[in-house]
Amino acid sequence: QLQASGGGLVQPGDSLTLSCAGSGSTLNTYIVAWFRQAPGKEREFVSQINWSDSYTNYANSVKGRFTISRDNAKNTVNLLMSSLKPEDTAVYYCAANLYATSQRASNYPYWGRGTQVTVSS
C-alpha cells in the first residue's frame, strides 16, 4: 500500500515536501511516480524515479523546481517542490509499478490516496 502525505496550503514561492510511504512493500523495488490532478482537469504526470535512482524524469512544467528522491531508511519517495505557483494547486498522488518507467497513469497499478496542495496568496 502507498500513502501520500505532506500537502497543505502555501503561498506562491514557498516550498513543500511530499512523501510517499510504502507499507508492506519495499519501495526501492518499485518505480515510483508522482501525478497530480487539478479540479476539472485530467490527472497528469509530474515526476518518476527508477529502482536504482539512476533515472529521474520530470514534466516540463515542474522541471528545475521539483526534485524526486528516495529515503530507503524510511521506505519513502519524496517530492521536494520549490518556487511553488498557483498552477501547482492539485491533489498529488504517488503510484508504483514493477516493470518500466512511464509517464502514463494507466501503467501504474498501485496508487495511494492523494494529498492536497494549494498554492494561494
Side-chain angles (χ1 to χ4, degrees):
Q1 288 187 340
L2 302 175
Q3 179 64 54
S5 62
L9 172 63
V10 296
Q11 294 187 341
D14 284 353
S15 297
L16 198 62
T17 299
L18 304 183
S19 182
C20 177
S23 62
S25 301
T26 304
L27 278 186
N28 63 9
T29 63
Y30 290 82
I31 295 159
V32 177
W34 286 93
F35 292 81
R36 67 186 183 186
Q37 188 165 18
K41 295 188 177 181
E42 293 187 355
R43 192 168 297 189
E44 65 174 0
F45 169 79
V46 175
S47 181
Q48 64 185 304
I49 188 168
N50 72 348
W51 309 274
S52 62
D53 303 353
S54 62
Y55 175 81
T56 57
N57 189 27
Y58 300 90
N60 287 335
S61 59
V62 306
K63 199 171 293 184
R65 300 189 297 121
F66 290 13
T67 303
I68 191 170
S69 63
R70 290 185 187 271
D71 185 336
N72 290 330
K74 296 182 179 179
N75 197 31
T76 61
V77 172
N78 302 317
L79 185 69
L80 169 61
M81 306 185 295
S82 302
S83 302
L84 282 162
K85 304 175 181 180
E87 51 263 43
D88 293 318
T89 295
V91 177
Y92 284 71
Y93 300 88
C94 61
N97 84 63
L98 286 168
Y99 303 112
T101 55
S102 172
Q103 296 188 12
R104 297 180 64 177
S106 59
N107 287 338
Y108 289 83
Y110 309 109
W111 289 81
R113 291 185 179 181
T115 185
Q116 176 71 47
V117 173
T118 303
V119 185
S120 175
S121 55

